[in-house]
Amino acid sequence: MFAVHLMAFYFTKLKEDQIKKVDRFLYHMRLSDETLLDIMARFQAEMQKGLGKDTNPTASVKMLPTFVRAIPDGSENGEFLSLDLGGSKFRVLKVQVSEEGKRNVQMESQFYPTPNEIIRGNGTELFEYVADCLADFMKTKELMQKKLPLGLTFSFPCKQTKLEEGILLSWTKKFKARGVQGTDVVSSLTNAMKRHQDLDVDILALVNDTVGTMMTCAYDDPYCEVGVIIGTGTNACYMEDMSNIDLVEGDEGRMCVNTEWGAFGDDGALEDIRTEFDRELDLGSLNPGKQLFEKMISGLYLGELVRLILLKMAKAGLLFGGEKSSALHIKGKIETRHVAAMERYKEGLANTREILTDLGLEPSDADCIAVQHVCTIVSFRSANLCAAALAAILTRLRENKKLVRLRTTVGVDGTLYKIHPQYPKRLHKVVRKLVPNCDVRFLLSESGSTKGAAMVTAVASRLQAQRKQIDKVLALFRLTQEQLVGIRNKMRVEFEYGLKKDTHPLATVKMLPTYVCGMPDGTEKGKFLALDLGGTNFRVLLVKIRSGRRSVRMYNKIFAIPLEIMQGTGEELFDHIVQCIADFLDYMGLKGAQLPLGFTFSFPCRQASIDKGTLIEWTKGFKATDCEGEDVVDMLREAIKRRNEFDLDIVAVVNDTVGTMMTCGYEDSNCEVGLIAGTGSNMCYMEEMRNIELVEGDEGKMCINTEWGGFGDNGCLDDIHTQYDKEVDEGSLNPGKQRYEKMTSGMYLGEIVRQILIDLTKQGLLFRGQISERLRTRGIFETKFLSQIESDRLALLQVRRILQQLGLDSTCEDSIVVKEVCGAVSRRAAQLYGAGLAAIVEKRREDQGLEHMRITVGVDGTLYKLHPHFSQILRETVKELAPQCDVMFMLSEDGSGKGAALITAVAKRLQQAQRDH
Ligand code: BG6
Ligand code: BG6
Ligand code: GLC
Ligand code: GLC
């Protein structure tokens, strides 16, 4: 009895002594609560640094956005392939998610070895090896004939700009294959897979193992919003608020951030707690100076730390009687599994003796106790450090959510956590001590990270299917070069129809003679009034032309034309116009002055002379009754008479295209085409009199108002007319008319966009499937909004704000789609304009028998002026479709009122000359 007591006493004493000895020797590795709180605070600061746009480049903790935006919601389903590369084991898997609506996951997997010559050899060979393993797996499982989406768990720091891409920042842990850093691993693997012709696999997602772990655990516990790996390496990810992630556009919802906390301290932030053993271990590693936090924590390094400590202690005569075995000198001889075995509760001491003996040492009882304690200190420090960083993340989560108490779940995986007998308990305890205001549940990921990776892939594959639907819609608006050539040729045919007497009555492109026969020659002078009706704004102008110096002064006033007047009676409309003229004259102090007037009237008019214009039919937003078939000059004259306040000499009625050509022609005599890309779409040009069969005489030229807006009204554009164009047409004031205009001009582009958005929403691809009242409202997308949305300088957030201003509650993803839709619609418009314009310049070139022709096109209209890409695409298309013409575009800065005044001046001069005769 006494002997037993004595033994027990002896043993306790021995243990105390040994522990004291080791504690003294490793005092630097024992971290107080204060130190841990300090480390926690430092890590909090590091996270902030990594998240900031300006501070990220120099941050050691990279806080990588993962493009995983939501945890699984149970709706995921399908069959997926999965690769799991970078942990202690390489696995290929087939994952079947959720059959018949149940949360159910089935996996089949196969491990493959990763020999050092592969993981530290040539990068291409590494990926070829991975592809070979995948092919082998698919053969064995008879999956070759299936096209399956693949999720790649790749446990290294990767910079992602989307889910299916990852630029390797640097290898960590045991990997060091050449030529991979700085390249996209997804495309490398995709390329490697091409060697297997029978392999048809689409890599849809690249995820870090922490992310896979979080998702795996979140599938079972929706509170899970953190993933931690304590295995070969160590790392963590968590769900961060988008508004805090500077590196990704958008501020809505959350995104998983892969912290890559293993690199904490790489900038020297942990020098005060690193020991000589940490430094020595680092020097002997594959990546010296890197992953310093990881090297104090993870499985790949713990055993080695213990070995270095034992060696030092033996050298100092504190262990093994000062004896060292040769095995103890060999790097890697003590592994984490040994550390875990030595720390086992009951068999620990016996295991220690066995392990030390296997190393060629002859340990005493005291040695075994001491070595066991070394292991404890090293692994305890590891758990402490992990806990400090994890506590920082939990605090951040709590603060993001503005909660006093946070209830959350942390998903964990990794061999160290799984096989070490004390590790989980210690980690949990310290975390709870450091963040007493968090209720944390730790959930072990039983099925590795691939189940989670499959969830991410499932979501990606659903998004991909949606993307395909969106692309299908957008493809309807993409015109091939061949189609554009076809359109150019058809337009050309329509021009000829319109010009020829026989075919003119049936022509849809009317080719109206304007009786404008020459350009201003600079001798024009005087004061003129001008009206500018039919574009976005109605304007009254006073234009003073001085001869000789080609200088023009203008004064103008914009007046509104209320909708009820635009679509009321003709009398009301013209009375309103006269009222505006009266106001203007009053405003200018010109009451009673009898000035010559030029009337820009931007609608199709049949003219028998310069001062007569019979409205053929209203276009765009006008629909006043009793005007079609009437001479608008007469209507204006009568309205002036009705008012009986002043008299005006109406000298000319001109289309806006003609006014624009004249405005520009005053500066550049080479300007022989006028183009409007505004509310409406139209073009005029100077034609040889001999080609104009409707007007007598073969000498000289006359301007033809093509009214090309009607192109396609005979069905010749039906092959490119989409269902959306049809809807816009049906909802317009003039169904079946102005087909080309409705595919190209500002008044309709926004409407086409709106129709597409309604359809995409109906398909559940936008606005959460909800069609709002605003989206049902005609005309919400004015040209200016379309132009703003498409501006390259605009961040996504701003696009979203514009949409919100329009009453459309869009997410960032919605905004991207809306922008794409706008882009597709406006691009088609610009290309169609280009095809039409190419037809006219080619015609002019051929008519003049020129090999090469230079010509200037005067342009006006809000679409051309405001849209960020329209003019560029127009120019490119003309260049491609009329390569023998040098087309210069000249923006009409002063509007067409100036041109109308010039035409009036010329007409006045001719009138005078006739009278003088
Ligand atoms: C596995 C996961 O369970 O754990 C891997 O499936 C992960 O994705 C690994 O990398 C981490 O642990 P270890 O110890 O294998 O590095
Ligand atoms: C103006 C011209 O600058 O542009 C008008 O003065 C023309 O005559 C108009 O109708 C066309 O553009 P929008 O976009 O106003 O229809
Ligand atoms: C290393 C990798 C990291 C990974 C971790 C755990 O730290 O850099 O991406 O998550 O190991 O495997
Ligand atoms: C409409 C009109 C046309 C005008 C064009 C541009 O197409 O019919 O006359 O030139 O719009 O405003």
Side-chain angles (χ1 to χ4, degrees):
M1 198 58 193
F2 179 72
V4 173
H5 277 293
L6 198 63
M7 270 301 285
F9 173 75
Y10 163 77
F11 200 75
T12 312
K13 180 80 177 64
L14 184 71
K15 202 167 167 184
E16 260 172 28
D17 290 347
Q18 292 307 313
I19 286 174
K20 265 192 204 140
K21 176 176 83 184
V22 173
D23 279 350
R24 233 179 295 134
F25 189 73
L26 293 180
Y27 79 97
H28 207 56
M29 281 196 161
R30 297 170 59 216
L31 306 173
S32 67
D33 288 355
E34 237 166 57
T35 311
L36 291 181
L37 284 168
D38 182 27
I39 293 168
M40 175 179 154
R42 286 188 223 177
F43 190 67
Q44 271 174 304
E46 285 296 325
M47 286 199 282
Q48 196 55 42
K49 196 171 168 192
L51 287 170
K53 199 172 205 141
D54 301 335
T55 41
N56 175 277
T58 55
S60 50
V61 176
K62 281 298 175 207
M63 304 296 281
L64 302 165
T66 64
F67 293 83
V68 168
R69 291 170 196 266
I71 61 168
D73 65 3
S75 69
E76 298 76 10
N77 62 59
E79 214 180 353
F80 306 96
L81 286 170
S82 205
L83 293 176
D84 190 355
L85 182 70
S88 52
K89 285 184 172 141
F90 168 41
R91 270 206 292 184
V92 184
L93 304 94
K94 190 193 91 168
V95 188
Q96 171 87 43
V97 185
S98 185
E99 256 177 319
E100 294 146 22
K102 286 176 271 160
R103 279 194 178 228
N104 179 1
V105 178
Q106 279 167 17
M107 308 207 286
E108 287 178 55
S109 76
Q110 168 84 51
F111 287 104
Y112 289 91
T114 43
N116 279 346
E117 55 277 19
I118 291 287
I119 64 175
R120 295 188 204 151
N122 179 309
T124 320
E125 280 164 25
L126 168 65
F127 288 109
E128 280 173 4
Y129 173 76
V130 174
D132 291 348
C133 295
L134 176 66
D136 175 76
F137 178 79
M138 291 182 75
K139 266 192 205 107
T140 341
K141 303 281 173 197
E142 292 175 354
L143 294 170
M144 268 315 196
Q145 66 288 3
K146 287 197 180 174
K147 183 177 169 73
L148 294 179
L150 183 144
L152 168 62
T153 306
F154 186 71
S155 312
F156 301 96
C158 287
K159 192 179 161 103
Q160 298 188 269
T161 54
K162 50 185 176 207
L163 192 57
E164 68 279 18
E165 180 198 82
I167 312 287
L168 177 67
L169 293 177
S170 53
W171 287 116
T172 55
K173 302 178 285 191
K174 293 186 211 168
F175 280 61
K176 204 166 184 163
R178 288 185 298 278
V180 186
Q181 290 188 28
T183 65
D184 172 24
V185 291
V186 173
S187 42
S188 303
L189 183 55
T190 306
N191 283 337
M193 288 192 306
K194 284 189 189 135
R195 291 193 325 146
H196 298 269
Q197 272 149 7
D198 40 355
L199 207 63
D200 190 7
V201 170
D202 211 356
I203 308 178
L204 292 191
L206 174 122
V207 293
N208 187 264
D209 52 355
T210 53
V211 183
T213 299
M214 180 187 79
M215 296 296 271
T216 298
C217 294
Y219 191 63
D220 299 323
D221 176 350
Y223 279 100
C224 181
E225 50 190 345
V226 182
V228 175
I229 297 282
I230 308 169
T232 315
T234 184
N235 189 14
C237 73
Y238 71 104
M239 296 302 290
E240 175 61 270
D241 291 358
M242 277 293 283
S243 54
N244 293 332
I245 308 177
D246 283 1
L247 297 173
V248 182
E249 272 202 68
D251 64 351
E252 190 196 335
R254 301 202 291 173
M255 183 183 277
C256 177
V257 166
N258 166 15
T259 64
E260 284 295 330
W261 76 18
F264 181 28
D266 287 8
D267 57 356
L270 294 176
E271 283 319 294
D272 54 335
I273 62 156
R274 289 179 73 223
T275 63
E276 57 178 303
F277 308 110
D278 297 307
R279 294 197 170 87
E280 197 176 338
L281 173 132
D282 177 45
L283 284 176
S285 69
L286 280 179
N287 52 350
K290 298 279 167 62
Q291 301 290 102
L292 299 183
F293 192 56
E294 178 162 85
K295 286 172 184 164
M296 293 194 268
I297 295 172
S298 78
L300 184 60
Y301 308 104
L302 280 201
E304 183 63 3
L305 275 177
V306 168
R307 186 187 69 86
L308 292 173
I309 294 167
L310 298 191
L311 197 61
K312 177 90 190 281
M313 286 182 81
K315 276 186 189 158
L318 295 169
L319 281 178
F320 318 126
E323 293 294 322
K324 300 148 284 172
S325 68
S326 54
L328 193 58
H329 279 100
I330 299 175
K331 196 168 119 190
K333 266 291 171 189
I334 299 181
E335 295 174 23
T336 296
R337 63 188 168 93
H338 298 134
V339 178
M342 290 192 272
E343 284 190 70
R344 289 226 157 272
Y345 186 58
K346 279 193 183 129
E347 323 84 17
L349 266 186
N351 289 345
T352 308
R353 181 175 301 277
E354 198 180 313
I355 289 164
L356 293 175
T357 314
D358 281 353
L359 284 171
L361 297 160
E362 287 169 19
S364 64
D365 286 346
D367 288 337
C368 291
I369 292 169
V371 169
Q372 197 180 35
H373 194 55
V374 168
C375 291
T376 305
I377 289 186
V378 170
S379 58
F380 219 133
R381 183 182 70 152
S382 160
N384 276 336
L385 290 172
C386 249
L390 182 55
I393 290 179
L394 295 172
T395 303
R396 197 173 164 93
L397 274 174
R398 190 180 58 77
E399 286 172 358
N400 279 350
K401 295 188 187 189
K402 302 189 175 60
L403 292 175
V404 182
R405 270 200 95 72
L406 173 75
R407 171 183 169 188
T408 195
T409 298
V410 176
V412 199
D413 202 350
T415 32
L416 177 56
Y417 183 84
K418 285 199 284 201
I419 66 162
H420 191 287
Q422 262 88 249
Y423 204 96
K425 222 173 27 209
R426 286 182 196 154
L427 176 77
H428 304 170
K429 197 170 150 194
V430 182
V431 169
R432 290 188 177 121
K433 191 155 74 181
L434 291 176
V435 279
N437 44 8
C438 294
D439 298 318
V440 195
R441 175 181 181 219
F442 288 87
L443 186 60
L444 179 67
S445 158
E446 302 282 358
S447 39
S449 54
T450 41
K451 180 164 131 187
M455 299 302 151
V456 176
T457 313
V459 174
S461 122
R462 191 173 64 211
L463 290 177
Q464 193 193 44
Q466 293 181 348
R467 184 69 242 175
K468 277 197 187 132
Q469 273 172 275
I470 294 171
D471 284 345
K472 210 164 116 195
V473 170
L474 296 184
L476 299 173
F477 290 83
R478 225 160 279 136
L479 300 175
T480 61
Q481 177 78 5
E482 210 183 333
Q483 282 175 311
L484 287 170
V485 168
I487 293 161
R488 179 197 66 192
N489 297 346
K490 281 185 205 162
M491 180 72 101
R492 178 76 184 269
V493 171
E494 296 296 325
F495 289 156
E496 305 303 338
Y497 274 2
L499 287 171
K500 297 258 179 307
K501 219 177 197 144
D502 298 347
T503 41
H504 176 84
L506 287 177
T508 47
V509 177
K510 295 187 195 69
M511 307 298 275
L512 302 167
T514 64
Y515 293 83
V516 169
C517 297
M519 290 290 166
D521 64 3
T523 63
E524 300 74 14
K525 62 172 202 256
K527 266 194 213 170
F528 303 88
L529 273 184
L531 296 180
D532 189 350
L533 178 76
T536 314
N537 295 310
F538 168 49
R539 254 188 278 230
V540 186
L541 307 93
L542 175 70
V543 185
K544 291 186 187 168
I545 307 173
R546 280 193 271 180
S547 66
R549 279 182 291 160
R550 285 190 183 252
S551 92
V552 170
R553 273 187 154 181
M554 305 206 295
Y555 308 86
N556 77 78
K557 209 164 178 239
I558 293 177
F559 295 91
I561 301 190
L563 193 71
E564 60 274 18
I565 296 226
M566 280 161 78
Q567 297 174 14
T569 68
E571 241 180 57
E572 282 166 341
L573 172 63
F574 281 91
D575 282 347
H576 179 78
I577 293 173
V578 172
Q579 169 73 47
C580 298
I581 301 176
D583 286 356
F584 180 73
L585 291 176
D586 222 13
Y587 166 77
M588 294 297 295
L590 284 171
K591 229 176 175 175
Q594 218 213 27
L595 296 173
L597 178 137
F599 184 11
T600 304
F601 183 71
S602 309
F603 301 94
C605 286
R606 193 168 297 287
Q607 295 191 260
S609 64
I610 186 106
D611 60 349
K612 284 191 173 33
T614 306
L615 173 64
I616 299 177
E617 59 196 346
W618 287 117
T619 55
K620 302 181 281 193
F622 280 71
K623 195 83 190 165
T625 55
D626 311 320
C627 298
E628 292 179 353
E630 302 294 324
D631 182 348
V632 293
V633 177
D634 283 346
M635 293 192 80
L636 182 59
R637 277 201 191 110
E638 274 157 30
I640 295 174
K641 246 189 242 151
R642 270 198 298 280
R643 191 176 177 94
N644 198 18
E645 230 181 71
F646 51 82
D647 200 12
L648 294 172
D649 174 15
I650 308 170
V651 181
V653 57
V654 291
N655 188 263
D656 53 354
T657 52
V658 185
T660 300
M661 183 181 79
M662 279 296 160
T663 302
C664 296
Y666 196 53
E667 322 277 330
D668 176 353
S669 60
N670 212 18
C671 180
E672 293 206 322
V673 178
L675 186 73
I676 297 285
T679 314
S681 162
N682 194 14
M683 184 269 294
C684 74
Y685 72 103
M686 294 305 289
E687 176 61 281
E688 309 294 333
M689 278 295 281
R690 63 181 141 83
N691 290 338
I692 310 173
E693 293 189 358
L694 295 178
V695 183
E696 295 285 312
D698 279 349
E699 287 304 302
K701 295 193 251 188
M702 182 184 277
C703 176
I704 292 288
N705 166 18
T706 63
E707 285 293 331
W708 77 8
F711 179 38
D713 290 3
N714 57 4
C716 72
L717 291 179
D718 284 1
D719 55 331
I720 60 162
H721 213 238
T722 68
Q723 72 180 84
Y724 311 104
D725 294 304
K726 285 198 190 88
E727 268 148 343
V728 170
D729 180 44
E730 280 161 16
S732 69
L733 287 176
N734 51 352
K737 302 279 170 66
Q738 302 287 97
R739 292 273 177 91
Y740 183 67
E741 176 161 87
K742 286 174 188 165
M743 297 169 107
T744 51
S745 78
M747 181 165 165
Y748 305 100
L749 293 193
E751 276 303 282
I752 304 176
V753 167
R754 196 175 65 85
Q755 293 299 342
I756 301 176
L757 299 188
I758 289 178
D759 184 39
L760 293 181
T761 311
K762 276 189 195 151
Q763 295 187 48
L765 302 167
L766 265 183
F767 305 134
R768 304 173 187 92
Q770 300 294 318
I771 300 182
S772 63
E773 263 321 297
R774 283 301 281 167
L775 197 56
R776 280 186 224 277
T777 315
R778 210 172 276 163
I780 50 166
F781 280 103
E782 293 169 33
T783 314
K784 64 174 180 211
F785 294 125
L786 208 76
S787 306
Q788 282 173 8
I789 290 171
E790 283 191 62
S791 161
D792 290 334
R793 275 171 311 180
L794 220 59
L796 216 51
L797 266 183
Q798 290 165 290
V799 174
R800 203 172 144 214
R801 218 163 289 143
I802 296 171
L803 291 172
Q804 274 163 349
Q805 270 169 22
L806 289 175
L808 300 175
D809 185 18
S810 78
T811 61
C812 272
E813 281 80 53
D814 289 342
S815 309
I816 297 175
V817 176
V818 173
K819 192 170 174 167
E820 276 181 285
V821 170
C822 292
V825 172
S826 61
R827 181 175 188 84
R828 184 187 68 163
Q831 288 180 325
L832 286 173
Y833 256 95
L837 200 58
I840 205 64
V841 293
E842 271 297 284
K843 172 179 158 53
R844 287 300 292 145
R845 185 185 66 76
E846 284 174 23
D847 282 356
Q848 295 173 75
L850 296 172
E851 184 60 33
H852 199 92
M853 182 186 72
R854 293 172 74 111
I855 192 163
T856 300
V857 175
V859 204
D860 204 347
T862 35
L863 182 58
Y864 186 88
K865 287 200 277 204
L866 299 183
H867 194 280
H869 310 302
F870 185 89
S871 60
Q872 171 79 13
I873 301 170
L874 166 62
R875 205 165 310 179
E876 284 165 8
T877 313
V878 174
K879 204 167 189 152
E880 272 165 32
L881 299 181
Q884 282 156 280
C885 299
D886 247 344
V887 182
M888 244 261 306
F889 289 83
M890 182 172 177
L891 182 67
S892 156
E893 305 278 0
D894 303 325
S896 56
K898 174 170 158 185
L902 287 164
I903 292 169
T904 308
V906 176
K908 206 66 203 155
R909 198 180 65 211
L910 293 177
Q911 264 180 15
Q912 199 62 41
Q914 248 169 13
R915 249 178 252 149
D916 294 350
H917 236 65

